[in-house]
Amino acid sequence: MDKRKKGSAGELRLMVVGSSGPSQFMLTNAILGREEFCNDVTSISGSMKNTGELAGRQVAVINGPNIYAKDMFQAKRKMEVRRSKCLCIPGPHAFLVAFDMEKISPNDMRTSRLMKKRFGRQCLKHCMVLLAYEGNVEREVLERRVQKTDWHLRELTEKYGGQFHIFSKNWKDRSQDRELLRKIENMVALLGGGYYSCRTFQKAEDYVKKEEKRLRKQRAAEVEKTWSDMDKKYVAEELYKKKDAYSANVGADIRTRAELDNDWLRTSLIRGLGTGLVVGAGMGVLVGSIAGPGGMVLYGVIGGAVGGSAGGTAQVAIKHMENRVAPPARLNFNSIFINRFFAAPRT
């Protein structure tokens, strides 16, 4: 269910999504105007949130692992989708789906299906396609390619309602900022001026608030002691300022921790571990059956241990860890054509 809720005119929450490769990370650098990700980063192992300004507007940019990340177990991937939602509560104002303009793959053409599966059927209305280009080509020429001459680019953008923007891979080029912000704000305004929400974003918000409450209770004694110490050092207006600043810092820290680690994410971890144990043990028994009853027991135990280890890789992490991997093989335009019309559809 698509719920467009009114938000403040302050911070814009932007969820940046990538199919594969470095495009979404280049886009994040371009939005924030700083090198948050190095050029050789093509994927990350955990979801991240960075804040900054885009043409004077406060923005929060949320990145998760690439949507087709193949070096990640299913339980880990599921947990990171959940974490990205926690980092973006109460919901994103816009999904920015980033692609490399010159390297559109068959997977890129299918990304909209995964978007609907992971973020709700109505999320595409809140999506804008961002196409990365390199060099000094005039923007009008590139836009003409998308709208008229390159059918695959036109078809890609149409999957998201035709909303698109072309951005330079050179994040230091700030000339594009105002136009990008204008397009995002116009799209948000046409959708009612609010942010996108659905059942799972609401669920994420509930779990984050629950975790915040638990952490506040846990730190109550620490806060009380600090306030007591301040009472002895400061007076009048200075005392109020110190307490307000301290309370704001504690609140921000608690919020960050709750977004990164809460019961919803821990439940995902436990389920991933359990599934790994069951599947691994089942495969172990199947292989061990060849060696007889004794082999079934032995390989069942080994398979369960290996499966549990696989499931357990979906670990909850407070500290962001970047996982730099080699860029996946890319297909040229002829390969795209062949895959589109002759390859069996991916299920």
Side-chain angles (χ1 to χ4, degrees), residues 59-237:
V59 293
V61 183
I62 293 85
N63 294 88
N66 282 328
I67 205 162
Y68 281 109
K70 295 180 180 179
D71 60 331
M72 189 175 292
F73 290 104
Q74 184 177 357
K76 169 70 170 172
R77 188 184 302 116
K78 181 177 180 180
M79 186 177 67
E80 290 307 329
V81 171
R82 287 186 175 185
R83 181 177 280 132
S84 68
K85 292 174 182 178
C86 290
L87 290 168
C88 205
I89 61 171
H93 292 94
F95 294 91
L96 305 181
V97 194
F99 303 100
D100 189 318
M101 193 169 186
E102 304 301 336
K103 298 178 181 178
I104 303 298
S105 73
N107 274 349
D108 292 335
M109 302 300 289
R110 292 189 284 261
T111 300
S112 58
R113 292 192 306 181
L114 265 182
M115 289 289 295
K116 288 190 289 185
K117 181 178 179 181
R118 294 184 178 181
F119 301 110
R121 295 179 62 186
Q122 301 300 319
C123 75
L124 297 188
K125 296 178 182 178
H126 296 255
C127 286
M128 181 182 296
V129 172
L130 275 291
L131 297 167
Y133 77 96
E134 194 165 16
N136 297 316
V137 186
E138 291 185 7
R139 191 175 299 274
E140 291 77 12
V141 174
L142 298 173
E143 289 181 350
R144 194 179 308 122
R145 284 182 55 191
V146 177
Q147 295 171 326
K148 295 182 178 180
T149 60
D150 290 11
W151 61 265
H152 65 296
L153 292 175
R154 185 173 68 252
E155 181 177 340
L156 177 68
T157 59
E158 285 175 354
K159 291 177 183 290
Y160 303 88
Q163 299 273 9
F164 77 92
H165 180 74
I166 298 170
F167 73 99
S168 172
K169 292 181 180 180
N170 176 17
W171 60 266
K172 295 180 181 179
D173 177 10
R174 312 310 300 155
S175 63
Q176 57 191 335
D177 289 9
R178 194 165 296 280
E179 177 66 9
L180 174 57
L181 179 62
R182 183 189 67 80
K183 286 185 176 180
I184 294 172
E185 289 181 330
N186 284 349
M187 183 178 74
V188 173
L190 288 171
L191 291 167
Y195 55 85
Y196 171 77
S197 184
C198 64
R199 184 177 59 84
T200 54
F201 276 104
Q202 293 161 12
K203 190 172 184 178
E205 186 174 14
D206 290 342
Y207 274 98
V208 169
K209 287 181 177 178
K210 182 180 177 182
E211 183 69 13
E212 283 184 289
K213 185 177 179 180
R214 187 188 72 81
L215 291 173
R216 284 196 193 96
K217 185 176 180 180
Q218 188 181 82
R219 297 184 65 172
E222 170 200 330
V223 172
E224 186 176 350
K225 182 180 184 304
T226 302
W227 276 38
S228 178
D229 291 342
M230 287 181 177
D231 286 335
K232 299 173 183 177
K233 293 181 180 179
Y234 308 104
V235 294
E237 187 176 347

Side-chain angles (χ1 to χ4, degrees), residues 76 79-80 83 260-261 315-321:
K76 169 70 170 172
M79 186 177 67
E80 290 307 329
R83 181 177 280 132
L260 288 167
D261 183 17
Q315 54 188 307
V316 174
I318 296 297
K319 184 177 180 181
H320 300 310
M321 296 295 291

